[in-house]
Amino acid sequence: MLSEKSTDTVRATLPAVGAAIGDITDLFYTKLFAAHPELLRDLFNRGNQSAGLQQQALAGSVAAFATHLVDHPDTRPDVMLRRIAHKHASLGVTREQYAVVHLHLFAAIAEVLGEAVTPEVAEAWDEVYWLMANALISLEERLYAEQQVLAGDVWRTWTVAARVEETADCTTFHLVPADGAPAPSFTPGQYVSVQVELADGARQIRQYSLSSAPGSPVRSITVKRVHGAAAAGPDGEVSNHLHARIATGDALRVSAPYGDLVLRDSTAPVLLASAGIGCTPMLSMLEHLADTGHAAPVTVLHADRSPADHALRADHRALTHKLAAASARFWYEAAAEPGDGEGRLDLAEVAVAPGTTAYLCGPLPFMRSVRAQLLAKGVPAADIHYEVFGPDLWLASA
């Protein structure tokens, strides 16, 4: 992977680069958007940029990749790379954009670190960048080929066949291809990108998990309206637009399906743990398990603010009841009903079958808590998989 000469240089400079990576990524995005304002308008999430979340995610991924190259020179962090590649493919990222990123990222590194960036240091970190970039390019082009689309050409027009108000802040949109052609296949747990044109002309993109089963001719996404005050950031531009402006019969630009948190074909026991709107990929997995007659134990766990806030609650229970050996338990912060838990999800009294594969989706603190509890119960780390809605800050804040 990384050359011996560059490995020594990266190892020596990693503490300094790591300490400055936040400043570097902040300056990088400033330079990138000054040169290419269309990227902020039509590709990057403006809300995440405003809150600094994308900067944290980039810093975490670069630092984690470099650290892996130094500590494990004979392997590649493919789990991290696949997650990034799926997100990039859902946005239509192409190989040409990596050269643009390289230009402004290295200008930011040179400006922040100054004289510390000797030619030798620049050469070593340039090697790190292109190892990561070329790995992602290869993965992304493979993902495009699997969907039988040209690189970056992931968009298709869909029609809203129906919309269902699930809760005060969650709405399900049922979608069908506008051209009448069959919907592309997907694996339970995957998501699509949705692109909308906002009032200022920006074409903002967000990802939403597919909550229906792959066998359905209709694709469903459940969108939670993001309120800025509750999310410690601005109001969600796309979620509020979809809630307020998109009606039955309207058209939406939707990407091909991507995402690496997918249900593995297996006869093993399954545990699905979610919080809030993180239930959506779990519903797709659960419906697929029911449709295919999965016989092994399935444990369904969910945490939410209250039963009234639990989107697709009835579906959550009904699909569980369709399975031969499944159980569901829900936890609520308030207004818990008989049989439901109060407060945080607690595995103390939950039996976890030997050989269980676990899938987690929800806020990072929730997933860290559930993962720790699963590890304590003997579930191997390799059998615990997770999905983050928005920038993946697991590495950045671990």
Side-chain angles (χ1 to χ4, degrees):
M1 293 282 289
L2 194 61
S3 68
E4 184 175 345
K5 177 183 176 182
S6 291
T7 296
D8 292 339
T9 302
V10 170
R11 181 182 290 112
T13 57
L14 190 54
V17 173
I21 196 71
D23 293 335
I24 291 169
T25 53
D26 283 347
L27 182 58
F28 156 68
Y29 279 115
T30 298
K31 290 179 175 294
L32 177 68
F33 296 144
H36 298 277
E38 74 280 3
L39 293 178
L40 180 59
R41 185 184 67 237
D42 297 335
L43 180 62
F44 286 86
N45 182 322
R46 297 191 296 193
N48 287 340
Q49 285 294 323
S50 175
L53 301 179
Q54 190 63 56
Q55 292 90 326
Q56 294 177 50
L58 175 62
S61 63
V62 171
F65 185 79
T67 300
H68 188 99
L69 291 181
V70 169
D71 292 344
H72 308 282
D74 296 327
T75 65
R76 194 174 72 174
D78 280 342
V79 171
M80 180 187 78
L81 292 172
R82 280 197 302 269
R83 180 166 286 115
I84 296 171
H86 275 275
K87 183 62 68 71
H88 284 181
S90 79
L91 296 169
V93 170
T94 60
R95 73 165 52 233
E96 292 77 17
Q97 290 169 318
Y98 283 92
V100 175
V101 168
H102 176 268
L103 173 67
H104 298 290
L105 180 59
F106 275 74
I109 290 173
E111 187 169 330
V112 170
L113 296 182
E115 295 180 357
V117 185
T118 64
E120 182 180 33
V121 170
E123 181 181 351
W125 281 94
D126 189 72
E127 188 177 342
V128 170
Y129 176 83
W130 283 112
L131 280 172
M132 186 172 182
N134 286 327
L136 288 171
I137 290 167
S138 177
L139 288 169
E140 289 154 19
E141 291 184 346
R142 192 179 311 155
L143 290 172
Y144 291 136
E146 288 173 359
Q147 291 292 342
Q148 298 182 337
V149 298
L150 297 175
D153 187 19
V154 297
W155 300 103
R156 184 175 178 182
T157 302
W158 292 64
T159 301
V160 178
R163 59 174 283 168
V164 179
E165 313 303 321
E166 305 288 355
T167 71
D169 282 322
C170 292
T171 297
T172 294
F173 296 87
H174 298 293
L175 310 171
V176 295
D179 59 8
S185 62
F186 72 97
T187 305
Q190 291 191 308
Y191 54 79
V192 292
S193 289
V194 176
Q195 184 187 70
V196 300
E197 183 171 349
L198 302 174
D200 64 356
R203 294 180 178 272
Q204 284 283 285
I205 303 169
R206 301 294 183 272
Q207 286 79 33
Y208 298 105
S209 293
L210 291 159
S211 52
S212 54
S216 171
V218 177
R219 298 291 182 257
S220 300
I221 58 172
T222 301
V223 178
K224 181 175 182 179
R225 178 165 34 206
V226 177
H227 297 288
D235 286 348
E237 291 186 296
V238 175
S239 65
N240 279 275
H241 177 91
L242 292 170
H243 273 257
R245 297 183 177 275
I246 301 302
T248 300
D250 286 347
L252 283 177
R253 279 170 57 82
V254 180
S255 78
Y258 293 102
D260 68 325
L261 181 79
V262 296
L263 189 65
R264 275 69 174 173
D265 287 330
S266 171
T267 57
V270 172
L271 184 144
L272 306 175
S274 56
I277 199 60
C279 66
T280 50
M282 305 307 174
L283 265 292
S284 178
M285 294 182 184
L286 194 54
E287 186 171 354
H288 179 73
L289 291 170
D291 287 348
T292 55
H294 186 80
V298 177
T299 303
V300 180
L301 311 172
H302 182 76
D304 224 311
R305 288 182 295 178
S306 72
D309 292 302
H310 182 171
L312 304 165
R313 171 183 158 93
D315 294 329
H316 227 152
R317 286 205 187 279
L319 290 169
T320 302
H321 291 155
K322 285 186 176 183
L323 287 158
S327 62
R329 185 167 182 191
F330 304 146
W331 283 259
Y332 299 110
E333 296 174 12
E337 297 180 356
D340 295 329
E342 293 185 357
R344 298 177 184 272
L345 190 153
D346 186 355
L347 295 180
E349 298 181 2
V350 175
V352 178
T356 287
T357 300
Y359 303 88
L360 319 180
C361 190
L364 277 179
F366 164 82
M367 292 194 293
R368 285 204 179 97
S369 172
V370 175
R371 182 177 184 273
Q373 294 180 66
L374 288 170
L375 291 172
K377 283 182 170 284
V379 179
D383 293 335
I384 304 173
H385 310 281
Y386 75 93
E387 177 68 278
V388 177
F389 289 164
D392 187 346
L393 303 182
W394 193 297
L395 291 170
S397 56

